[in-house]
C-alpha cells in the first residue's frame, strides 16, 4: 500500500499544522472538525484554520499555493470522504471518550487496510483502542508530531500489541521520505520519549533554579550552549511553548505514570508560575512570561522576572566563570565549578541523565532512540547518553553514588564502558546485555559524519575540507563560523576543482552545519575597508568571481546541496553549480543590499540569466531586469526550497529532499546522473536595456523613498544595483559577455564599499551578531 491521500480530523493548532505539512509533501488532504452550534458556515472551523495557516509565522506552508491541496469540511457532513483516503490522523481534544466515539465513526466509513493514527502524547494506545474491532486495532498506531509540524523533525511512532508490523513500516517510510521526519520508534508509555524526558528536564531546571537562587538569565546561560542546548535555554523555551500548557502535561503525567516513578519528585507547579498563568503571563502568546518586552514610552526593553519576588527588571546578560570554564574544559568543567551555577548545572544534569538512563527499556528499546528523540524534538546537540559520555560514565556513576543518588542499572552494567564507541569506522551504541550494536542507517541515508569516522579528508584547511564519498564523487564541506565564505574556502574550492578533474567524476558541495553558508565573511571586509586596502578588496572580489566562474566552467558536474541559510556568497555558489539538490528547509537569497553592497561574485549575472532564459517569463528588454532588481534590491530570501524555485534560485530541473539525512545521498545520485556526456554550459551573452532601464528602476526606488519605505541610503545602494542590472552604458543593440557583467558588479561593489553608509550597515550587522541577511 502507498499513502497517496490523507485526512486529518481536528483543525486545532496541531491538526491544522499536520495537514499543512502533508500538503507540503504534495498530497491532497481533507481537514475536518466539528460544526459549532448555530454556525451558518458548517465548515467554519476547518476553513478558519486554513486561513490562519496562511498568515502564521513561521509559515506552515512551504508555498502558499500548497493550501489549495487542503479541503475543509466537517465531521457531521463529510465523514464519508474518509472512504477514499489511505491515512486518517486524529488530532482532537485529549479526552478518551471523545476519541473513542470518533474511532467508531471512522471505522464505519474507512476503507479496509487504511491506516489510522492518533497524535496524542498523553493517552496510552491500549486505552484508545479498548473495545474496538480487531481489524481497526491492526491498522491503528500513534504518530506523535512535535509543534510546529513543518519544522520539528521528530515523529514518535508507537504501535500496539495488535498493530501490523507492515503498517508501522509503511508509516515510518512515508513520514521519513515524504514528510522529512526523523522517525523514532518508541513504546506505548506516557509521554513517549520526548515529553517523558523533556518535561522532566524542564521541571528539574525550573525547580533547581528557584531553590538555588539563580536568575533566569544565569539558568539559561548554564542550561544552554555549554550543554549543547538551544540559546533559548529553559525559561526561554517555556515562554515559547506556553506556561499554561505545563500544568496540563504535568497532570497527565501524574495520572498515568506509576507511583514509584521519579517524575513525581519534580511534578509540581511553583506558586510563582501559578500566579503568572492567572494574570495572563503565559509566555510569548500572552503578556509575556519569564521574559517580556516592556513597550512603555514607545521603546522595547527586554525584561525578566525575579524568581524570588515575581518582579520584572531589565534583563542583563550574565558573565559566568562556570561557563567560561566550560569553554576551555568541556562539560565536566562546568559541573565541577564550585559556585552556585556549577552546582546548578550538576543537579540538573545528574537528575535528567540518570532519569533517562533508568527508562531503558521502558520507553524505548535502546539508548540511541532516546538520544535521537531529544536531539530531534528538543533540538539538543547531544542526547542524554552522549552527554553521559562527555562527563565519563565511570565519573558520572561515582559522582551519583558519592551524593547518595541511585545509579541506573544500565550504567551499572556498563561498568565504565562508554555509551558509544567507534569500531572499524562504524559507530556503535551500548546495549542492555553489556555488548554493543552498530548504529544502522535507513536505505538512502548517507551522512558525512559517518564517513568521517572511517576516513581522512583528501585535503583540508581551517575553513573547508574535501572528502571522498565513494563511486568517484567527492564532497566539499565548509566548516568556518556559520560557514561564511572566506579566502580559505575560495582557495579550497579552487584546489578541489583541480583534484576532481584529475581523479574523480563529480563533486557535491554540502555540509552538516546549521547553515549551508551564511554569506561572505563581512568582518574581514570591514577590516580591509577600515585600513583603506582598496586593492585588496578589488582582488578579493575578483578572486571570488574567478573561483565561481571556474566552478561553473569545470569539466565535471557539480551539485550544490544546501540546507538552512544559503545567503549572499553562499547563494552565489549555488547559482554557479550545474544542479541543486536542496533540503526542503533551505533559505536562499542574495541579501548584500542589507549591508549596503551589491552581489559581486556573479549573483547579478546569474539572476539575469535565469530570468532572461525562463520560458514562462515575459520577453523583451525590461521584464527580466525588473524581476532581478525586485528580488535583489529587497534582499528577498526564499523561506523554503519550494519558494526558491519560484524565485529561480533553483531551476526547473533542480530537486528537493524532504529529509535532511537523505540530502547527501540524493545529491550524490544527482551528480552521478549528470556524468555521462557532461559538458559545461556555454557562455551566455546578454542584451540589456541600459540607461532607460536604469532610470525606470531609479524612479521606482524614488517612489518608495517618498512614501517612507526606503531610506536615503537604500536609494544610493539601489541606484548602484540598477546600474549593474541595466548593463551600465550599454543598449539593446549591443551584447554583453559574462565578464562584462562581472566587471560591472566589481566596479559598483567597490564604489559602495567606500561609502560611510555601507560601513555603518556592516558594523550594525556585526554588532547584532547576525548573518548577512535582511
Amino acid at each position: 500500500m502507498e499513502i497517496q491521500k490523507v485526512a486529518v480530523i481536528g483543525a486545532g493548532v496541531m491538526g491544522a499544522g499536520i495537514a499543512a505539512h502533508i500538503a507540503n509533501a504534495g498530497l491532497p488532504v481533507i481537514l475536518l472538525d466539528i460544526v459549532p452550534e448555530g454556525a451558518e458556515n458548517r465548515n467554519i472551523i476547518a476553513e478558519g484554520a486554513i486561513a490562519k495557516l496562511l498568515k502564521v509565522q513561521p509559515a506552515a506552508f512551504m508555498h502558499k499555493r500548497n493550501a489549495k491541496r487542503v479541503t475543509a469540511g466537517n465531521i457531521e457532513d463529510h465523514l464519508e470522504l474518509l472512504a477514499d483516503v489511505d491515512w486518517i490522523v486524529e488530532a482532537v481534544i485529549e479526552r478518551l471518550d471523545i476519541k473513542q466515539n470518533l474511532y467508531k465513526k471512522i471505522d464505519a466509513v474507512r476503507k479496509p487496510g487504511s491506516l489510522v493514527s492518533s497524535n496524542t502524547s498523553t493517552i496510552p494506545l491500549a486505552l484508545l483502542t479498548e473495545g474496538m474491532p480487531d481489524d481497526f486495532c491492526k491498522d491503528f498506531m500513534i504518530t506523535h508530531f512535535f509543534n510546529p509540524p513543518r519544522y520539528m523533525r521528530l515523529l514518535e511512532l508507537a504501535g500496539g500489541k495488535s498493530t501490523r508490523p507492515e503498517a508501522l513500516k509503511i508509516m515510518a517510510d512515508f513520514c521519513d521520505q515524504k514528510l522529512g521526519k526523523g522517525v523514532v520508534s518508541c513504546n506505548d508509555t506516557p509521554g513517549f520519549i520526548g515529553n517523558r524526558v523533556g518535561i522532566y528536564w524542564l521541571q528539574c531546571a525550573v525547580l533547581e533554579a528557584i531553590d538555588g537562587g539563580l536568575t533566569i538569565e544565569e539558568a539559561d546561560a548554564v542550561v544552554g550552549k555549554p550543554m549543547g542546548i538551544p540559546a533559548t535555554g529553559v525559561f526561554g523555551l517555556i515562554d515559547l511553548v506556553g506556561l499554561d500548557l505545563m500544568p496540563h502535561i504535568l497532570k497527565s503525567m501524574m495520572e498515568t505514570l506509576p507511583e514509584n516513578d521519579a517524575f513525581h519528585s519534580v511534578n509540581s507547579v511553583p506558586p510563582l508560575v501559578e500566579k503568572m498563568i492567572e494574570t495572563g503571563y503565559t509566555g510569548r502568546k500572552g503578556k509575556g512570561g519569564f521574559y517580556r518586552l516592556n513597550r512603555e514610552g514607545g521603546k522595547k526593553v527586554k525584561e525578566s522576572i525575579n524568581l524570588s519576588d515575581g518582579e520584572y527588571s531589565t534583563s542583563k546578560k550574565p558573565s559566568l566563570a562556570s561557563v567560561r570554564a566550560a569553554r576551555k574544559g568541556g562539560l565536566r568543567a562546568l559541573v565541577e565549578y564550585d559556585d552556585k551555577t556549577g552546582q546548578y548545572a550538576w543537579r540538573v544534569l545528574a537528575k535528567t541523565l540518570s532519569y533517562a538512563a533508568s527508562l531503558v527499556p521502558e520507553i524505548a528499546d535502546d539508548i540511541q532512540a532516546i538520544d535521537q528523540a531529544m536531539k530531534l524534538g528538543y533540538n539538543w546537540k547531544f542526547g542524554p547518553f552522549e552527554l553521559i559520555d562527555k562527563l565519563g560514565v565511570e565519573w558520572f556513576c561515582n559522582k551519583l553514588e558519592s551524593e547518595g543518588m541511585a545509579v541506573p542499572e544500565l550504567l551499572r552494567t556498563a561498568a565504565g564502558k562508554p555509551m558509544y564507541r567507534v569500531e572499524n569506522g562504524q559507530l556503535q551504541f551500548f546495549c542492555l546485555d553489556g555488548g554493543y550494536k552498530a548504529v544502522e542507517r535507513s536505505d538512502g541515508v548517507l551522512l558525512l559524519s559517518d564517513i568521517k569516522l572511517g576516513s581522512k579528508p583528501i585535503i583540508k584547511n581551517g575553513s573547508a575540507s574535501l572528502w571522498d564519498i565513494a563511486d568517484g564523487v567527492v564532497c566539499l564541506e565548509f566548516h568556518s563560523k556559520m560557514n561564511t565564505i572566506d579566502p580559505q574556502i575560495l582557495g579550497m574550492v579552487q584546489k578541489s576543482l583541480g583534484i576532481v578533474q584529475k581523479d574523480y567524476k563529480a563533486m557535491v558541495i554540502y555540509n552538516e552545519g546549521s547553515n549551508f553558508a551564511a554569506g561572505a565573511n563581512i568582518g574581514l571586509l570591514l577590516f580591509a575597508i577600515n585600513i583603506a586596502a582598496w586593492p585588496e578588496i578589488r582582488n578579493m572580489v575578483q578572486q571570488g568571481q574567478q573561483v565561481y566562474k571556474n566552478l561553473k566552467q569545470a569539466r565535471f558536474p557539480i551539485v550544490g546541496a544546501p540546507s538552512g541559510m544559503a545567503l549572499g556568497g553562499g547563494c552565489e555558489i549555488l547559482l554557479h553549480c550545474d544542479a541543486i539538490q536542496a533540503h526542503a528547509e533551505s533559505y536562499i537569497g542574495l541579501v548584500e543590499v542589507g549591508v549596503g553592497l551589491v552581489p559581486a561574485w556573479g549573483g547579478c549575472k546569474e539572476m539575469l540569466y535565469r530570468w532572461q532564459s525562463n520560458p514562462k517569463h515575459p520577453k523583451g528588454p525590461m521584464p527580466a531586469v525588473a524581476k532581478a532588481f525586485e528580488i535583489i534590491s529587497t534582499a528577498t530570501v526564499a523561506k523554503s526550497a519550494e519558494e526558491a524555485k519560484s524565485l529561480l534560485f533553483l531551476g526547473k530541473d533542480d530537486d528537493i529532499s524532504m529529509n535532511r539525512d537523505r540530502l547527501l545521498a540524493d545529491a550524490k545520485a544527482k551528480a552521478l546522473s549528470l556524468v555521462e556526456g557532461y559538458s559545461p554550459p556555454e557562455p551566455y551573452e546578454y542584451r540589456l536595456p541600459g540607461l532607460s532601464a536604469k532610470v525606470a528602476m531609479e524612479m521606482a526606488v524614488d517612489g518608495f523613498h517618498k512614501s517612507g519605505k526606503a531610506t536615503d541610503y537604500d536609494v544610493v545602494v539601489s541606484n548602484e544595483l540598477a546600474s549593474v542590472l541595466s548593463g551600465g552604458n550599454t543598449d539593446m543593440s549591443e551584447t554583453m559577455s559574462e565578464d562584462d557583467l562581472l566587471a560591472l558588479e566589481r566596479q559598483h561593489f567597490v564604489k559602495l564599499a567606500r561609502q560611510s553608509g555601507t560601513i555603518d550597515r556592516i558594523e550594525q550587522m556585526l554588532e547584532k551578531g547576525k548573518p548577512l541577511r535582511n
Side-chain angles (χ1 to χ4, degrees):
M1 179 191 128
E2 184 180 354
I3 296 175
Q4 296 180 319
K5 189 173 184 180
V6 180
V8 178
I9 304 180
V13 172
M14 282 303 298
I18 292 167
H21 194 52
I22 293 168
N24 289 333
L27 276 72
V29 190
I30 298 165
L31 181 62
L32 306 180
D33 210 304
I34 61 171
V35 179
E37 187 174 347
E40 291 185 11
N41 179 359
R42 295 173 64 81
N43 302 335
I44 185 64
I45 294 180
E47 288 180 4
I50 297 169
K52 287 180 182 177
L53 288 172
L54 286 166
K55 298 175 183 177
V56 71
Q57 292 296 330
F61 290 111
M62 290 180 175
H63 198 291
K64 288 189 175 183
R65 63 176 170 239
N66 293 348
K68 295 177 182 178
R69 297 194 181 109
V70 185
T71 301
N74 69 77
I75 296 170
E76 292 182 23
D77 302 329
H78 304 117
L79 213 58
E80 73 278 0
L81 296 177
L82 303 187
D84 190 36
V85 306
D86 306 301
W87 174 26
I88 302 161
V89 187
E90 171 269 301
V92 302
I93 190 171
E94 290 289 89
R95 270 182 50 184
L96 181 60
D97 58 333
I98 291 176
K99 290 179 185 287
Q100 288 184 328
N101 184 51
L102 177 62
Y103 296 159
K104 291 172 184 175
K105 294 178 181 178
I106 290 172
D107 198 41
V109 296
R110 74 183 184 102
K111 67 182 180 182
S114 61
L115 306 182
V116 184
S117 72
S118 174
N119 188 54
T120 185
S121 67
T122 60
I123 304 175
L125 184 149
L127 289 178
L128 291 173
T129 56
E130 194 172 39
M132 292 300 296
D134 289 344
D135 284 346
F136 181 87
C137 296
K138 289 177 183 178
D139 296 330
F140 187 84
M141 64 197 74
I142 288 173
T143 51
H144 180 222
F145 289 81
F146 275 58
N147 192 33
R150 169 182 164 184
Y151 298 96
M152 298 304 294
R153 290 189 61 203
L154 177 62
L155 182 130
E156 293 176 315
L157 179 62
K161 293 180 180 179
S162 301
T163 310
R164 295 180 290 121
E166 60 269 30
L168 290 169
K169 186 175 188 316
I170 289 169
M171 184 63 70
D173 288 347
F174 176 83
C175 293
D176 164 6
Q177 296 171 32
K178 299 295 185 181
L179 301 186
K181 298 300 172 188
V183 180
V184 176
S185 294
C186 52
N187 298 329
D188 181 24
T189 58
F192 305 116
I193 300 173
N195 284 342
R196 181 79 169 272
V197 176
I199 301 300
Y200 180 90
W201 161 68
L202 289 172
Q203 283 294 109
C204 283
V206 170
L207 297 176
E208 292 291 349
I210 294 172
D211 291 345
L214 275 74
T215 67
I216 64 172
E217 291 92 345
E218 288 172 336
D220 282 346
V222 171
V223 184
K225 190 174 181 180
M227 296 184 187
I229 287 165
T232 51
V234 169
F235 292 96
L237 176 59
I238 296 173
D239 277 354
L240 183 64
V241 172
L243 278 73
D244 54 329
L245 290 180
M246 297 300 287
H248 297 291
I249 297 172
L250 294 175
K251 182 175 182 291
S252 171
M253 293 294 191
M254 182 180 68
E255 293 172 347
T256 53
L257 287 173
E259 291 183 4
N260 62 347
D261 194 280
F263 197 102
H264 296 302
S265 66
V266 299
N267 195 341
S268 64
V269 181
L272 171 65
V273 174
E274 289 181 338
K275 183 180 178 183
M276 291 172 70
I277 295 171
E278 288 172 5
T279 54
Y281 284 91
T282 55
R284 295 188 187 182
K285 64 185 178 183
K287 295 190 291 185
F290 293 108
Y291 296 97
R292 74 176 185 184
L293 278 180
N294 188 334
R295 292 182 169 85
E296 290 180 6
K299 297 180 180 180
K300 290 183 180 180
V301 178
K302 185 179 180 181
E303 296 181 338
S304 57
I305 200 166
N306 186 305
L307 294 173
S308 300
D309 60 22
E311 296 295 320
Y312 284 94
S313 60
T314 302
S315 183
K316 297 178 181 178
K317 185 177 180 179
S319 176
L320 302 179
S322 59
V323 172
R324 291 194 294 273
R327 291 192 198 114
K328 295 181 179 179
L331 192 61
R332 196 187 296 185
L334 176 70
V335 299
E336 287 183 324
Y337 200 84
D338 191 18
D339 73 355
K340 68 176 183 180
T341 61
Q343 293 161 8
Y344 170 70
W346 164 249
R347 289 194 299 271
V348 173
L349 281 177
K351 290 183 176 181
T352 303
L353 302 185
S354 60
Y355 184 60
S358 73
L359 295 175
V360 183
E362 179 192 342
I363 64 174
D365 294 338
D366 55 59
I367 67 171
Q368 188 201 9
I370 295 176
D371 277 350
Q372 282 296 98
M374 294 310 296
K375 289 192 288 186
L376 295 173
Y378 281 79
N379 285 329
W380 287 15
K381 187 175 182 180
F382 310 104
F385 297 95
E386 292 171 321
L387 288 171
I388 290 173
D389 273 348
K390 286 188 172 296
L391 293 171
V393 175
E394 184 175 6
W395 181 92
F396 183 64
C397 292
N398 290 340
K399 179 83 168 165
L400 290 175
E401 285 186 326
S402 70
E403 299 198 1
M405 297 179 69
V407 177
E409 186 61 32
L410 173 71
L411 300 184
R412 289 193 181 277
T413 302
K417 291 191 287 187
M419 296 290 97
Y420 291 90
R421 71 179 187 183
V422 177
E423 286 287 316
N424 300 318
Q426 174 74 58
L427 183 64
Q428 300 177 340
F429 62 89
F430 185 76
C431 300
L432 288 167
D433 61 7
Y436 286 87
K437 184 179 179 182
V439 172
E440 296 179 355
R441 308 295 184 195
S442 301
D443 289 342
V445 171
L446 178 64
L447 300 180
L448 193 57
S449 57
D450 286 345
I451 292 169
K452 291 178 180 180
L453 296 176
S455 62
K456 294 181 179 180
I458 301 166
I459 187 173
K460 68 176 292 186
N461 61 29
S463 296
S465 302
L466 188 69
W467 298 89
D468 187 332
I469 59 173
D471 302 313
V473 183
V474 299
C475 174
L476 177 59
E477 174 200 24
F478 303 155
H479 42 72
S480 60
K481 185 176 181 180
M482 290 194 75
N483 295 328
T484 51
I485 310 297
D486 60 18
Q488 284 194 310
I489 284 181
L490 293 177
M492 183 59 70
V493 173
Q494 189 60 50
K495 287 181 181 178
S496 299
L497 294 176
I499 291 170
V500 180
Q501 177 62 45
K502 181 181 177 184
D503 298 321
Y504 295 90
K505 297 177 182 177
M507 181 164 75
V508 170
I509 304 177
Y510 161 94
N511 65 74
E512 289 169 1
S514 299
N515 300 296
F516 176 76
N521 188 325
I522 57 174
L524 291 177
L525 174 62
L526 181 62
F527 176 77
I529 290 173
N530 284 335
I531 62 172
W534 306 116
E536 284 76 10
I537 291 173
R538 286 192 197 91
N539 289 338
M540 179 188 71
V541 176
Q542 196 155 8
Q543 180 195 8
Q545 289 182 341
Q546 188 60 53
V547 168
Y548 285 22
K549 181 179 177 181
N550 294 344
L551 193 75
K552 185 175 181 179
Q553 294 178 346
R555 287 179 285 173
F556 51 86
I558 298 172
V559 174
S563 180
M565 291 188 293
L567 305 176
C571 173
E572 287 173 301
I573 280 185
L574 297 175
L575 294 176
H576 287 80
C577 290
D578 295 294
I580 298 173
Q581 181 75 40
H583 178 223
E585 298 299 345
S586 294
Y587 316 118
I588 304 173
L590 294 169
V591 295
E592 286 83 352
V593 297
V595 287
L597 297 166
V598 295
W601 283 344
C604 296
K605 163 181 72 73
E606 290 301 313
M607 287 305 288
L608 280 172
Y609 163 72
R610 287 172 179 239
W611 282 99
Q612 283 194 346
S613 58
N614 180 17
K616 295 182 179 180
H617 197 64
K619 300 302 176 184
M622 275 301 295
V625 172
K627 193 65 182 178
F629 182 74
E630 174 193 332
I631 292 169
I632 300 172
S633 67
T634 57
T636 300
V637 176
K639 295 177 181 176
S640 69
E642 187 176 356
E643 196 172 289
K645 273 207 164 193
S646 297
L647 295 168
L648 300 194
F649 291 127
L650 270 62
K652 64 180 179 63
D653 296 323
D654 294 332
D655 291 311
I656 297 171
S657 299
M658 290 294 283
N659 193 323
R660 188 175 182 184
D661 288 348
R662 296 179 174 275
L663 179 59
L664 181 56
D666 291 345
K668 177 183 172 182
K670 192 168 194 66
L672 286 170
S673 73
L674 298 173
V675 169
E676 188 174 350
Y678 176 81
S679 61
E682 292 292 326
Y684 185 75
E685 290 192 339
Y686 298 80
R687 288 191 181 273
L688 297 173
L691 184 61
S692 60
K694 180 176 183 294
V695 170
M697 288 183 277
E698 288 175 348
M699 289 175 63
V701 173
D702 185 58
F704 281 110
H705 182 246
K706 287 178 178 176
S707 65
K709 296 178 181 178
T711 66
D712 292 347
Y713 200 64
D714 288 335
V715 175
V716 173
V717 177
S718 296
N719 288 348
E720 297 300 324
L721 176 63
S723 294
V724 175
L725 295 174
S726 64
N729 295 323
T730 189
D731 61 51
M732 284 298 295
S733 66
E734 301 172 344
T735 60
M736 294 187 71
S737 68
E738 293 184 351
D739 286 343
D740 292 335
L741 266 175
L742 289 174
L744 274 178
E745 288 183 2
R746 192 163 62 246
Q747 173 191 337
H748 291 278
F749 180 96
V750 175
K751 182 179 178 181
L752 284 168
R754 291 176 175 270
Q755 305 294 317
S756 60
T758 293
I759 296 171
D760 291 343
R761 289 193 176 188
I762 295 175
E763 288 177 340
Q764 290 168 13
M765 191 71 71
L766 291 172
E767 187 177 338
K768 293 176 182 176
K770 293 183 177 180
L772 178 52
R773 67 179 299 176
N774 68 325

